[in-house]
Amino acid sequence: MPGERGGEQVKIGYPCINRSLGCSANRTFRLSSYSGERLETTVAENLACLKRILTFNREHGILFFRITSDLVPFASHPVMDFPWQERFRKEFRQIGRLIRESGIRISMHPDQFVLINAPDPGIVGRSVAELRYHAQVLDLMELDTTAKIQIHVGGVYGDREGSIRRFGDNARVLPEKVLRRLVVENDDLRFPLADCLRIHGEIGLPVLFDAFHHELNNRGETLGRALDLAGETWGKADGTTMVDYSSQEEGKRRGTHAATLDPRLFSRFLKDSLPHDMDVMLEIKDKERSALAALGIALNDPRLTLQKAGMGS
DNA sequence: CAGTGTCAAGGTGGA
DNA sequence: TCCACCTTGACACTG
């Protein structure tokens, strides 16, 4: 198997967009142009493109993919009046089958507006609605609980402790369909790995380890130690530990994701991460191009070959 | 039809 | 209190 280590497979992936295929699964439109008809057309096109992307990925051995949050535009917005779940039930199920039969790992990442630790209950309410939509997509695809929805802790609101506590309090009471898929990710400015681990200790959410954010914001844990700690938070039903990977784009502001994969840095990352099992999401701007390059590096890395022989699976 | 201002949703920090 | 920035593609209007 590609990139095998520790008896498991390292899956490598990229988020949301494929630049080779000439289609987009995240087409949307302005709220002012909303109509049921427009919605139906757009979702049909998005699902068709998603299917193409997943097929491309399978054919290239890219077995980890983040599905765009824009698959169904305005899904959690009050304007939504189209029964997209029923209308596209068959398509979702088909895509889900393709995912399962290909052994593809799936994640979703609601964006910055989803803040379940906000002091404003209105913001929390809208965030929960958005999370329910994400869970619905994965449920309609009939994916198991290894398909995850990743969010950050959220804002500080001038009170770190209070904000962490509020995250726990609000997460705890989320609908079970959301909670069983929810994972919390360390960010580069506010809440590092240590805070996410505390949240895990309190409410049991797995911690998605973002290696680049960790470089920028940590409490001194080495990569190996961090992977130990994050890895322990993933239970059997959660699947292999998910890890986000990127590196600094030189000459750009701190935290800017690289435009393309730096093979030497990635090779070193793979080496330093041994012997941890993980599925790696490459947050690199050129998407599948870097994923293919990463796959080549993982396949050809002699240390991985040694590891494979050593583990004898 | 190319160029460009703008887009559901928030937080943060500087002016 | 206001505004740019985060980060990004793509919509949709302008000329």
mmCIF file of all heavy atoms in Angstrom, chain A residues 150-175:
data_model
loop_
_atom_site.group_PDB
_atom_site.id
_atom_site.type_symbol
_atom_site.label_atom_id
_atom_site.label_comp_id
_atom_site.label_asym_id
_atom_site.label_seq_id
_atom_site.Cartn_x
_atom_site.Cartn_y
_atom_site.Cartn_z
ATOM 1 N N GLN A 150 -14.115 19.613 11.201
ATOM 2 C CA GLN A 150 -13.104 20.259 12.039
ATOM 3 C C GLN A 150 -13.399 21.738 12.230
ATOM 4 O O GLN A 150 -13.687 22.460 11.288
ATOM 5 C CB GLN A 150 -11.709 20.063 11.440
ATOM 6 C CG GLN A 150 -11.519 20.672 10.054
ATOM 7 C CD GLN A 150 -10.180 20.306 9.426
ATOM 8 O OE1 GLN A 150 -10.081 19.371 8.641
ATOM 9 N NE2 GLN A 150 -9.149 21.074 9.783
ATOM 10 N N ILE A 151 -13.322 22.178 13.482
ATOM 11 C CA ILE A 151 -13.471 23.611 13.769
ATOM 12 C C ILE A 151 -12.387 24.046 14.757
ATOM 13 O O ILE A 151 -11.746 23.226 15.401
ATOM 14 C CB ILE A 151 -14.857 23.964 14.368
ATOM 15 C CG1 ILE A 151 -15.098 23.200 15.667
ATOM 16 C CG2 ILE A 151 -15.957 23.689 13.371
ATOM 17 C CD1 ILE A 151 -16.358 23.660 16.401
ATOM 18 N N HIS A 152 -12.214 25.358 14.848
ATOM 19 C CA HIS A 152 -11.302 25.911 15.835
ATOM 20 C C HIS A 152 -12.073 26.219 17.116
ATOM 21 O O HIS A 152 -13.301 26.206 17.124
ATOM 22 C CB HIS A 152 -10.632 27.172 15.291
ATOM 23 C CG HIS A 152 -9.749 26.908 14.111
ATOM 24 N ND1 HIS A 152 -8.530 26.272 14.230
ATOM 25 C CD2 HIS A 152 -9.919 27.155 12.792
ATOM 26 C CE1 HIS A 152 -7.982 26.158 13.035
ATOM 27 N NE2 HIS A 152 -8.793 26.681 12.140
ATOM 28 N N VAL A 153 -11.320 26.520 18.172
ATOM 29 C CA VAL A 153 -11.979 26.830 19.441
ATOM 30 C C VAL A 153 -12.827 28.097 19.284
ATOM 31 O O VAL A 153 -13.950 28.163 19.782
ATOM 32 C CB VAL A 153 -10.943 27.003 20.578
ATOM 33 C CG1 VAL A 153 -11.650 27.318 21.890
ATOM 34 C CG2 VAL A 153 -10.092 25.738 20.716
ATOM 35 N N GLY A 154 -12.293 29.072 18.587
ATOM 36 C CA GLY A 154 -13.051 30.287 18.319
ATOM 37 C C GLY A 154 -12.364 31.542 18.821
ATOM 38 O O GLY A 154 -11.141 31.619 18.838
ATOM 39 N N GLY A 155 -13.128 32.507 19.241
ATOM 40 C CA GLY A 155 -12.595 33.792 19.684
ATOM 41 C C GLY A 155 -12.171 33.756 21.145
ATOM 42 O O GLY A 155 -12.535 32.850 21.894
ATOM 43 N N VAL A 156 -11.385 34.779 21.536
ATOM 44 C CA VAL A 156 -10.911 34.902 22.921
ATOM 45 C C VAL A 156 -11.881 35.758 23.735
ATOM 46 O O VAL A 156 -12.133 35.488 24.917
ATOM 47 C CB VAL A 156 -9.497 35.523 22.948
ATOM 48 C CG1 VAL A 156 -9.062 35.816 24.377
ATOM 49 C CG2 VAL A 156 -8.500 34.591 22.279
ATOM 50 N N TYR A 157 -12.429 36.777 23.124
ATOM 51 C CA TYR A 157 -13.402 37.674 23.757
ATOM 52 C C TYR A 157 -12.878 38.259 25.071
ATOM 53 O O TYR A 157 -13.631 38.424 26.034
ATOM 54 C CB TYR A 157 -14.725 36.932 23.996
ATOM 55 C CG TYR A 157 -15.270 36.242 22.758
ATOM 56 C CD1 TYR A 157 -15.175 34.856 22.605
ATOM 57 C CD2 TYR A 157 -15.858 36.982 21.733
ATOM 58 C CE1 TYR A 157 -15.666 34.223 21.467
ATOM 59 C CE2 TYR A 157 -16.355 36.356 20.589
ATOM 60 C CZ TYR A 157 -16.249 34.981 20.467
ATOM 61 O OH TYR A 157 -16.733 34.354 19.337
ATOM 62 N N GLY A 158 -11.566 38.489 25.094
ATOM 63 C CA GLY A 158 -10.977 39.108 26.280
ATOM 64 C C GLY A 158 -10.911 38.218 27.508
ATOM 65 O O GLY A 158 -10.600 38.695 28.597
ATOM 66 N N ASP A 159 -11.191 36.944 27.342
ATOM 67 C CA ASP A 159 -11.235 36.048 28.498
ATOM 68 C C ASP A 159 -10.988 34.612 28.014
ATOM 69 O O ASP A 159 -11.932 33.883 27.691
ATOM 70 C CB ASP A 159 -12.612 36.164 29.192
ATOM 71 C CG ASP A 159 -12.804 35.125 30.303
ATOM 72 O OD1 ASP A 159 -11.820 34.465 30.703
ATOM 73 O OD2 ASP A 159 -13.955 34.969 30.756
ATOM 74 N N ARG A 160 -9.691 34.256 27.955
ATOM 75 C CA ARG A 160 -9.323 32.947 27.407
ATOM 76 C C ARG A 160 -10.010 31.798 28.133
ATOM 77 O O ARG A 160 -10.586 30.903 27.516
ATOM 78 C CB ARG A 160 -7.805 32.740 27.514
ATOM 79 C CG ARG A 160 -6.991 33.561 26.543
ATOM 80 C CD ARG A 160 -5.511 33.231 26.729
ATOM 81 N NE ARG A 160 -5.296 31.792 26.701
ATOM 82 C CZ ARG A 160 -5.225 31.075 25.596
ATOM 83 N NH1 ARG A 160 -5.317 31.652 24.437
ATOM 84 N NH2 ARG A 160 -5.050 29.779 25.657
ATOM 85 N N GLU A 161 -9.922 31.830 29.447
ATOM 86 C CA GLU A 161 -10.481 30.731 30.241
ATOM 87 C C GLU A 161 -11.984 30.593 30.029
ATOM 88 O O GLU A 161 -12.499 29.509 29.801
ATOM 89 C CB GLU A 161 -10.169 30.946 31.726
ATOM 90 C CG GLU A 161 -8.731 30.613 32.097
ATOM 91 C CD GLU A 161 -8.339 29.185 31.699
ATOM 92 O OE1 GLU A 161 -9.062 28.243 32.081
ATOM 93 O OE2 GLU A 161 -7.332 29.019 30.992
ATOM 94 N N GLY A 162 -12.650 31.737 30.116
ATOM 95 C CA GLY A 162 -14.104 31.737 29.929
ATOM 96 C C GLY A 162 -14.468 31.226 28.540
ATOM 97 O O GLY A 162 -15.454 30.513 28.364
ATOM 98 N N SER A 163 -13.657 31.580 27.538
ATOM 99 C CA SER A 163 -13.968 31.195 26.165
ATOM 100 C C SER A 163 -13.745 29.706 25.936
ATOM 101 O O SER A 163 -14.480 29.083 25.165
ATOM 102 C CB SER A 163 -13.120 32.019 25.194
ATOM 103 O OG SER A 163 -13.483 33.388 25.308
ATOM 104 N N ILE A 164 -12.745 29.150 26.614
ATOM 105 C CA ILE A 164 -12.521 27.712 26.517
ATOM 106 C C ILE A 164 -13.667 26.964 27.212
ATOM 107 O O ILE A 164 -14.185 25.971 26.703
ATOM 108 C CB ILE A 164 -11.160 27.335 27.148
ATOM 109 C CG1 ILE A 164 -10.014 27.869 26.274
ATOM 110 C CG2 ILE A 164 -11.037 25.821 27.330
ATOM 111 C CD1 ILE A 164 -8.639 27.719 26.891
ATOM 112 N N ARG A 165 -14.047 27.480 28.367
ATOM 113 C CA ARG A 165 -15.139 26.848 29.110
ATOM 114 C C ARG A 165 -16.437 26.879 28.296
ATOM 115 O O ARG A 165 -17.159 25.901 28.204
ATOM 116 C CB ARG A 165 -15.337 27.575 30.450
ATOM 117 C CG ARG A 165 -16.248 26.845 31.419
ATOM 118 C CD ARG A 165 -16.309 27.504 32.794
ATOM 119 N NE ARG A 165 -15.238 28.463 33.068
ATOM 120 C CZ ARG A 165 -15.407 29.779 33.074
ATOM 121 N NH1 ARG A 165 -16.594 30.311 32.838
ATOM 122 N NH2 ARG A 165 -14.386 30.580 33.334
ATOM 123 N N ARG A 166 -16.697 28.035 27.679
ATOM 124 C CA ARG A 166 -17.921 28.170 26.889
ATOM 125 C C ARG A 166 -17.899 27.226 25.692
ATOM 126 O O ARG A 166 -18.937 26.671 25.317
ATOM 127 C CB ARG A 166 -18.067 29.625 26.425
ATOM 128 C CG ARG A 166 -19.490 30.090 26.325
ATOM 129 C CD ARG A 166 -19.611 31.588 26.277
ATOM 130 N NE ARG A 166 -18.557 32.200 25.492
ATOM 131 C CZ ARG A 166 -17.617 33.014 25.993
ATOM 132 N NH1 ARG A 166 -17.632 33.325 27.270
ATOM 133 N NH2 ARG A 166 -16.675 33.507 25.215
ATOM 134 N N PHE A 167 -16.722 26.996 25.114
ATOM 135 C CA PHE A 167 -16.635 26.026 24.018
ATOM 136 C C PHE A 167 -17.118 24.664 24.509
ATOM 137 O O PHE A 167 -17.945 24.010 23.876
ATOM 138 C CB PHE A 167 -15.193 25.917 23.498
ATOM 139 C CG PHE A 167 -15.050 24.959 22.337
ATOM 140 C CD1 PHE A 167 -15.054 25.423 21.030
ATOM 141 C CD2 PHE A 167 -14.935 23.589 22.554
ATOM 142 C CE1 PHE A 167 -14.948 24.546 19.964
ATOM 143 C CE2 PHE A 167 -14.832 22.705 21.483
ATOM 144 C CZ PHE A 167 -14.834 23.182 20.190
ATOM 145 N N GLY A 168 -16.594 24.258 25.640
ATOM 146 C CA GLY A 168 -16.972 22.947 26.192
ATOM 147 C C GLY A 168 -18.456 22.863 26.503
ATOM 148 O O GLY A 168 -19.133 21.905 26.116
ATOM 149 N N ASP A 169 -18.964 23.900 27.157
ATOM 150 C CA ASP A 169 -20.380 23.908 27.546
ATOM 151 C C ASP A 169 -21.288 23.832 26.323
ATOM 152 O O ASP A 169 -22.284 23.113 26.322
ATOM 153 C CB ASP A 169 -20.704 25.186 28.337
ATOM 154 C CG ASP A 169 -20.011 25.197 29.701
ATOM 155 O OD1 ASP A 169 -19.533 24.124 30.126
ATOM 156 O OD2 ASP A 169 -19.930 26.278 30.320
ATOM 157 N N ASN A 170 -20.932 24.597 25.281
ATOM 158 C CA ASN A 170 -21.784 24.616 24.096
ATOM 159 C C ASN A 170 -21.595 23.385 23.218
ATOM 160 O O ASN A 170 -22.538 22.942 22.565
ATOM 161 C CB ASN A 170 -21.528 25.891 23.284
ATOM 162 C CG ASN A 170 -22.027 27.130 24.010
ATOM 163 O OD1 ASN A 170 -22.836 27.034 24.933
ATOM 164 N ND2 ASN A 170 -21.524 28.286 23.621
ATOM 165 N N ALA A 171 -20.378 22.839 23.195
ATOM 166 C CA ALA A 171 -20.129 21.647 22.375
ATOM 167 C C ALA A 171 -20.852 20.437 22.961
ATOM 168 O O ALA A 171 -21.443 19.636 22.237
ATOM 169 C CB ALA A 171 -18.629 21.370 22.285
ATOM 170 N N ARG A 172 -20.790 20.333 24.252
ATOM 171 C CA ARG A 172 -21.392 19.203 24.966
ATOM 172 C C ARG A 172 -22.854 18.964 24.589
ATOM 173 O O ARG A 172 -23.311 17.820 24.566
ATOM 174 C CB ARG A 172 -21.317 19.497 26.465
ATOM 175 C CG ARG A 172 -21.089 18.333 27.385
ATOM 176 C CD ARG A 172 -21.303 18.771 28.828
ATOM 177 N NE ARG A 172 -20.379 19.803 29.280
ATOM 178 C CZ ARG A 172 -19.163 19.552 29.778
ATOM 179 N NH1 ARG A 172 -18.741 18.317 29.881
ATOM 180 N NH2 ARG A 172 -18.394 20.540 30.167
ATOM 181 N N VAL A 173 -23.563 20.040 24.336
ATOM 182 C CA VAL A 173 -25.006 19.915 24.090
ATOM 183 C C VAL A 173 -25.365 19.980 22.600
ATOM 184 O O VAL A 173 -26.531 20.123 22.246
ATOM 185 C CB VAL A 173 -25.795 21.007 24.863
ATOM 186 C CG1 VAL A 173 -25.593 20.817 26.355
ATOM 187 C CG2 VAL A 173 -25.350 22.415 24.452
ATOM 188 N N LEU A 174 -24.373 19.838 21.744
ATOM 189 C CA LEU A 174 -24.653 19.804 20.310
ATOM 190 C C LEU A 174 -25.427 18.526 19.986
ATOM 191 O O LEU A 174 -25.321 17.529 20.711
ATOM 192 C CB LEU A 174 -23.345 19.810 19.516
ATOM 193 C CG LEU A 174 -22.609 21.150 19.434
ATOM 194 C CD1 LEU A 174 -21.209 20.945 18.867
ATOM 195 C CD2 LEU A 174 -23.401 22.135 18.573
ATOM 196 N N PRO A 175 -26.178 18.552 18.877
ATOM 197 C CA PRO A 175 -26.867 17.327 18.456
ATOM 198 C C PRO A 175 -25.857 16.187 18.280
ATOM 199 O O PRO A 175 -24.747 16.413 17.792
ATOM 200 C CB PRO A 175 -27.482 17.708 17.109
ATOM 201 C CG PRO A 175 -27.515 19.195 17.089
ATOM 202 C CD PRO A 175 -26.411 19.671 17.960
#
